[in-house]
Amino acid sequence: MGSLAGHKRQRYSTALGSAREVLACVQVAEAMRYVEPPHPGVLDRMNHVIATLARLVYRRAS
């Protein structure tokens, strides 16, 4: 949020991509049995962060 107006959306977009990448890595690690399934609350929080970032990136320009 510290970026100037012209760059904010790009920074949120980068953060969204990173958050989605982290979730995908957790899912792959779980599928390959490298880690135990994450607590449902953790996955819920991750999805909440992704949804919030998506709203910031894809909202209509005013």
Side-chain angles (χ1 to χ4, degrees), residues 15-31:
L16 175 59
S18 295
R20 287 177 171 162
E21 183 178 5
V22 168
L23 181 58
C25 289
V26 169
Q27 292 169 334
V28 168
E30 179 186 356

Side-chain angles (χ1 to χ4, degrees), residues 4-62:
L4 299 175
H7 297 283
K8 272 188 181 182
R9 188 167 291 189
Q10 184 59 42
R11 300 299 166 255
Y12 289 141
S13 181
T14 301
L16 175 59
S18 295
R20 287 177 171 162
E21 183 178 5
V22 168
L23 181 58
C25 289
V26 169
Q27 292 169 334
V28 168
E30 179 186 356
M32 297 186 77
R33 299 176 194 244
Y34 291 147
V35 298
E36 294 292 322
H39 186 278
V42 171
L43 293 177
D44 184 54
R45 186 68 176 162
M46 290 174 75
N47 284 317
H48 179 76
V49 168
I50 289 169
T52 300
L53 288 167
R55 279 192 303 274
L56 290 168
V57 170
Y58 299 117
R59 69 178 179 205
R60 289 180 165 226
S62 358

